[in-house]
Amino acid sequence: MSLSQAFREKSFDDLPGWDEDDHLAAFAAFRRSAFHILAKPYRSGGLGVDFNAFTEAYAAARTVSPTDRREARAFFERHFIPAHIAAESGGAGLVTGFYEPVVDASPVRTERFTVPLLSRPADLVDIDDGNRPVGMDPYLAFGRATPDGPVEYFDRGEIDRGALAGKDLAGKGLEIAWLADKVNAFFIHVQGSARLTMTDGRLCRVTYVAKSGQRFTGPGKILGELGEIPLEAVTMQSVRAWFKAHPQRIDEILWRNRSYIFFREISVGEAAVDDPELGPIAAAKVPLTPGRSVAVDRLLHTFGTPFYIDGPSLTAFDNKPFRRLMIAQDTGSAITGPARGDLFTGTGDAAGEIAGVVRNPADFYALIPRRLVPGAGR
């Protein structure tokens, strides 16, 4: 696999604000991936950044312990070369934000708590080219097992209307927890994880385990196309406000997003490695680091790749232009393209306020292992 021509080699001097960043915080996130890959390597992305090229950097990250930003910066400069990667349009890329909600929940259905978060159904099967029926949408990575072979799985509207309450699945205990608000449940689906404050006193986490497989269609896009919210004014906050003002239309809008997410329950300790400041374990199988983990297009990029992201118009994090070294440690169905990232902002309402307004152009610089860059040297 050769390195894609989409990458344009740069120097670290070309990265705006590189000298001012906190490379030590980025190193801590990178080091978590360095230990994880001992158990299971990451898959190489389609743009040619071979996972095996990270071997030397990962080995070094497991043995060194930088004590300050200067040493951490030297680590990245020693092992990598920056390369600009443009969006498919040829212009700047795009960043959005995601976070881990904290919501009240009940272990059983009650008069107040009526909206379930579901675990993976027994009849949900992975689909690939080896078992995909003729005529099935090639996008679908999941399907429903039937005696006649796999078919498309039930979508959001069908599941909300009781498709999983049939006799073939009755008594399987798919409900992990029950929420009081359908919109809160939907945004947990969008974020892919949540901390649940249970009515029995427990604190637990849920995280993505599978999905029904259909394409994601955001409610903001739907409401914009319907003329309900100007597209330029679409944020998580504006969408929530619209739902609050139009409760009778919630199902109408949400069911137009056919994708449905299933979860698994994990202990807070398992998810955060006993550090409550860290986020949930995501697609790269390491806990996310607020402000340092980024979700990317997994088909194109290799998990663990450092990305320096320059978004001068984004100031929601700390009231200054966003220029940070991030580590690719998650993905999402809405995150597609070479210069597309979803920034993990943290846990709770404050993190949600930041995540909800992030939608900014940004330049992406992938840090490529030196062995992949001809003539890069040491």
Side-chain angles (χ1 to χ4, degrees):
M1 181 184 294
S2 60
L3 196 62
S4 169
Q5 294 184 352
F7 295 108
R8 294 290 181 265
E9 183 180 342
K10 299 290 183 178
S11 72
F12 285 101
D13 290 338
D14 294 324
L15 309 187
W18 171 256
D19 296 350
E20 302 166 12
D21 191 25
D22 183 1
H23 305 85
L24 191 60
F27 177 84
F30 182 80
R31 195 168 195 256
R32 293 185 188 99
S33 284
F35 278 100
H36 166 73
I37 57 92
L38 293 175
K40 185 175 182 180
Y42 293 139
R43 180 180 65 192
S44 298
L47 292 181
V49 179
D50 186 357
F51 164 78
N52 293 313
F54 288 87
T55 299
E56 183 177 347
Y58 278 144
R62 292 191 294 267
T63 58
V64 301
S65 298
T67 58
D68 58 30
R69 299 180 182 185
R70 179 185 57 81
E71 291 179 3
R73 171 186 164 189
F75 170 88
F76 288 109
E77 292 180 353
R78 183 163 57 251
H79 291 283
F80 299 97
I81 290 290
H84 182 261
I85 183 165
E88 292 171 319
S89 65
L94 174 69
V95 289
T96 50
F98 73 109
Y99 76 112
E100 182 185 33
V102 178
V103 298
D104 293 334
S106 171
V108 296
R109 179 170 181 149
T110 69
E111 184 176 347
R112 176 188 173 199
F113 295 97
T114 61
V115 184
L117 296 178
L118 301 180
S119 59
R120 178 172 181 155
D123 64 346
L124 181 70
V125 295
D126 293 355
I127 298 292
D128 57 30
D129 291 341
N131 66 345
R132 186 183 309 279
V134 175
M136 177 178 274
D137 185 346
Y139 175 86
L140 297 176
F142 296 92
R144 180 165 58 91
T146 76
D148 297 322
V151 298
E152 182 177 333
Y153 207 76
F154 302 117
D155 68 12
R156 174 174 297 277
E158 292 170 322
I159 293 171
D160 281 352
R161 292 189 294 270
L164 297 186
K167 60 182 180 180
D168 57 328
L169 293 173
K172 296 298 184 181
L174 296 180
E175 299 87 358
I176 297 174
W178 299 83
L179 307 184
D181 184 89
K182 185 175 294 187
V183 174
N184 278 345
F186 176 79
F187 278 104
I188 290 174
H189 282 225
V190 173
Q191 305 304 323
S193 65
R195 290 192 200 191
L196 306 179
T197 304
M198 306 296 285
T199 55
D200 60 9
R202 291 183 298 124
L203 177 64
C204 70
R205 265 175 160 159
V206 293
T207 191
Y208 167 94
V209 69
K211 59 184 177 180
S212 59
Q214 295 88 359
R215 289 170 176 79
F216 173 85
T217 306
K221 178 181 180 182
I222 295 168
L223 292 171
E225 291 175 346
L226 292 175
E228 297 290 340
I229 303 176
L231 282 173
E232 64 274 12
V234 168
T235 64
M236 183 177 68
Q237 290 87 336
S238 67
V239 171
R240 280 185 175 275
W242 190 92
F243 281 137
K244 186 175 182 179
H246 303 84
Q248 75 282 2
R249 297 185 65 187
I250 291 175
D251 286 341
E252 170 200 340
I253 301 303
L254 294 188
W255 290 349
R256 291 180 65 168
N257 173 54
R258 300 184 65 216
S259 176
Y260 192 95
I261 304 300
F262 301 101
F263 298 89
R264 70 181 181 97
E265 181 179 353
I266 50 179
S267 69
V268 172
E270 175 192 354
V273 194
D274 297 324
D275 184 348
E277 296 302 314
L278 294 178
I281 292 177
K285 305 305 181 186
V286 296
L288 299 177
T289 304
R292 293 294 168 176
S293 294
V294 60
V296 297
D297 188 333
R298 188 178 188 176
L299 296 179
L300 299 180
H301 295 301
T302 304
F303 280 158
T305 300
F307 282 87
Y308 190 72
I309 298 177
D310 175 27
S313 67
L314 172 55
T315 59
F317 277 79
D318 51 14
N319 295 317
K320 59 183 181 181
F322 186 92
R323 290 178 169 130
R324 292 192 187 185
L325 184 59
M326 310 286 289
I327 310 300
Q329 293 176 323
D330 201 3
T331 192
S333 56
I335 311 305
T336 59
R340 178 72 173 90
D342 208 17
L343 312 175
F344 179 62
T345 62
T347 299
D349 291 344
E353 288 299 310
I354 296 173
V357 299
V358 178
R359 188 174 182 83
N360 299 77
D363 284 322
F364 283 67
Y365 301 88
L367 268 59
I368 307 296
R370 284 182 174 268
R371 60 185 282 190
L372 293 179
V373 183
R378 298 292 302 159

